[in-house]
Amino acid sequence: MSESQNIEYKESWHDEYLKWICGFANAQGGCIYIGINDKQQVIGLPDSKRLLEDIPNKIVNYLGIVADVNLLQSKEGKEYIEIVVEPSNMPIAYHGAYHYRSGSTKQELKGVALQQFILKKMGRSWDELLEDRATLNDIDRKAIDYFLRKAIEAHRINPELKDEDTRTVLENLKLIDNNGVLTNAAILLFGKDPLRFFPGVEFRIGRFGIDESDLIFQDVVNGNIIQMADKVVTLLRSKYLISPIHYEGMQRLEPLEIPEDALREMLYNSIVHKRYAGVHIQMWIFNDHIELWNEGKLPDELTIDALKGKHSSHPRNILLASVFYKAGFIETWDVVLAKYVTLLKR
């Protein structure tokens, strides 16, 4: 069996391979075979008995986990060692560094990738984190009222809640803690100036000619994300897209050249599932199509093929998805991440 996401072959043991064990534990688990070369040939171990004792002890002492270490023998009588690593529910570090198995490679997690990894292991999403710099004065009541109106129209909250004070609304949506500290989601959804806290809260639109190097004009939409899609659609109607006139009987109709329902669904998904620690959302408008991009990646639980069929939901931003659902903007929490979404013009 060739090397893969779950299998690694090593000719002999070196303590640095504890990094590989760390990577397997932080990912989906796997097996390391000591005494087998890259061609999957058993070359044997002269010190297998000693390693059978040393390796388990080093795994416990340096990583704090227990792995099965088995002594095996080939048909030719050559001994080799199998190390079976189970996935860990907690982040595992080796000398203060976090390693992760991805494909057939080992990666050291740093920066945003490390933050996202630790949050996932803790069962939390980035939008649930608290932002100590923000207060209720940073929340726009008009954005709250907009949400309440939309959610009541969608029959997803009680109409009696329309006059609730701002803090109560945020508490009901789990966007503020008991000490009055706001979550990242609260600022993104209802903040007066989310860009002050998160530089990626922008939606950039460009009108292009024959290709991406032929930029004709552009605009930037910012502000809270609960109203962002409305702002984008208004701008597209007024400046970027045409509304061909036609009649049905005596009624004059001016629909957008792209079905607005499809356009809004695309916008809502790109806003809800974006990685806001990254860069802005980008939309390219061409003569015959639109391309939309947001930063992120598919959850480990999903593949491109799985997205084409019925699949469970794995929202990147749990609180954002919940609020957009209550507002009636999304029907399900499907994931649209790290990819181009293209709509063809009529």
Side-chain angles (χ1 to χ4, degrees), residues 18-29 99-101 106:
L18 290 167
K19 297 177 183 178
W20 271 258
I21 296 174
C22 176
F24 278 129
N26 283 329
Q28 299 174 23
H99 301 272
Y100 190 85
R101 180 74 171 193
K106 178 194 68 63

Side-chain angles (χ1 to χ4, degrees), residues 258-269 341 343:
I258 287 178
E260 187 167 333
D261 287 346
L263 180 62
R264 284 187 176 275
E265 182 177 358
M266 183 174 73
L267 294 174
Y268 288 138
N269 276 282
V341 179
L343 284 180

